[in-house]
Amino acid sequence: PALKMRAMMNAPVLSVFTHDSIDIGEDGPTHQPIEQLSQIRSLVGLNVFRPANEVEMVAAYKFFVEQKKPTALVLTKSKLAKFEGVTLEDAEKGAYVIFETKTKPQIEIFATGKEVELAVNVAKELETIGARVISMPCESLFASQDKTYKSKIRVKSPILKVAIEASNDMMWHKYVGENGLLVNVTDYQTSGKGSEVYVNAGFSKENVLKQIAKKIK
């Protein structure tokens, strides 16, 4: 209710959510908020950021300070990978190309937060086919961009669209379509080491590549 009121009133309040998704494995399913990302994204007027690196984190805070709009940060306790070449200007767009194979991309991969590293590792194995990874720290911010920018970062006529996120947010169907591949979480996971729970839920390079191969076939 508090988040909804902030969004309705356009109140400049920063909400910080920690312990994102399933990687706090030892605490079990009661501490796996897989449904809450879709819940807060559904609040019209709330700008939800799920950063994948330090630049995206700075972009999110910069957005809040300058725009003075209701903002939520969804953060993980896990260590995040460092990516070369990421600029603040890119991150401020809400989505941008974080990696692309030398081969002309035929596969488009969306990811947020911790899953961006996984998406990049998957794309590196797809050099023969060609793949592009789009990091989307804030979907609502990307949706507000003009058509020119949107078409610039999207792959034209891809053979497959993929989205990787440790949530159950159906928002991704808007980007991958009926024939796309959504690697997500559809149920609460077991207790255990975060890294093991993460892989067990399907978030491994091997599993994603296997699903992509199956879809293409």
Side-chain angles (χ1 to χ4, degrees):
L3 286 171
K4 182 175 181 178
M5 291 303 295
R6 292 169 195 170
M8 291 175 65
M9 296 186 297
N10 198 30
V13 178
L14 179 66
S15 306
V16 181
F17 293 87
T18 62
H19 296 57
D20 176 38
S21 197
I22 61 174
D23 55 353
I24 310 299
E26 291 85 350
D27 293 333
T30 58
H31 288 62
Q32 297 171 5
I34 66 171
E35 78 288 344
Q36 291 182 11
L37 195 53
S38 60
Q39 288 177 346
I40 61 176
R41 278 182 179 149
S42 69
L43 292 172
V44 179
L46 179 65
N47 300 278
V48 182
F49 287 83
R50 190 171 186 254
N53 52 58
E54 70 277 14
V55 180
E56 292 182 8
M57 181 67 185
V58 171
Y61 193 68
K62 184 172 183 285
F63 171 87
F64 170 70
V65 171
E66 293 182 348
Q67 300 298 322
K68 296 179 173 60
K69 293 183 178 181
T71 304
L73 301 180
V74 179
L75 310 178
T76 177
K77 286 189 69 178
S78 300
K79 290 184 178 180
L80 297 176
K82 291 185 177 294
F83 298 95
E84 298 295 331
V86 178
T87 68
L88 192 58
E89 182 180 6
D90 286 337
E92 288 179 313
K93 298 289 187 180
Y96 62 99
V97 178
I98 196 167
F99 177 80
E100 184 171 289
T101 56
K102 294 180 181 179
T103 304
K104 183 179 179 181
Q106 297 188 72
I107 296 178
E108 183 178 63
I109 306 176
F110 293 95
T112 72
K114 181 179 177 179
E115 289 78 68
V116 171
E117 180 183 10
L118 173 59
V120 170
N121 290 336
V122 167
K124 289 178 179 178
E125 299 294 326
L126 298 172
E127 184 66 48
T128 302
I129 302 174
R132 173 182 294 174
V133 177
I134 298 171
S135 178
M136 188 180 284
C138 182
E139 193 277 334
S140 61
L141 189 55
F142 174 66
S144 69
Q145 302 302 317
D146 57 44
K147 291 182 178 179
T148 301
Y149 179 76
K150 290 178 181 177
S151 61
K152 176 184 175 182
I153 72 166
R154 299 292 301 268
V155 175
K156 294 182 179 179
S157 303
I159 61 174
L160 182 63
K161 300 174 184 178
V162 182
I164 307 174
E165 185 178 76
S167 76
N168 68 344
D169 197 342
M170 295 296 103
M171 167 200 79
W172 291 110
H173 286 295
K174 178 170 67 174
Y175 291 95
V176 303
E178 290 184 7
N179 299 316
L181 172 61
L182 180 54
V183 181
N184 64 348
V185 182
T186 57
D187 199 359
Y188 297 103
Q189 304 300 305
T190 56
S191 300
K193 291 184 179 180
S195 57
E196 293 176 359
V197 173
Y198 198 70
V199 171
N200 190 57
F203 294 93
S204 67
K205 181 176 67 175
E206 293 74 20
N207 178 60
V208 178
L209 286 170
K210 183 179 180 180
Q211 291 195 52
I212 290 175
K214 184 178 180 180
K215 273 285 185 179
I216 293 176
K217 184 178 180 180

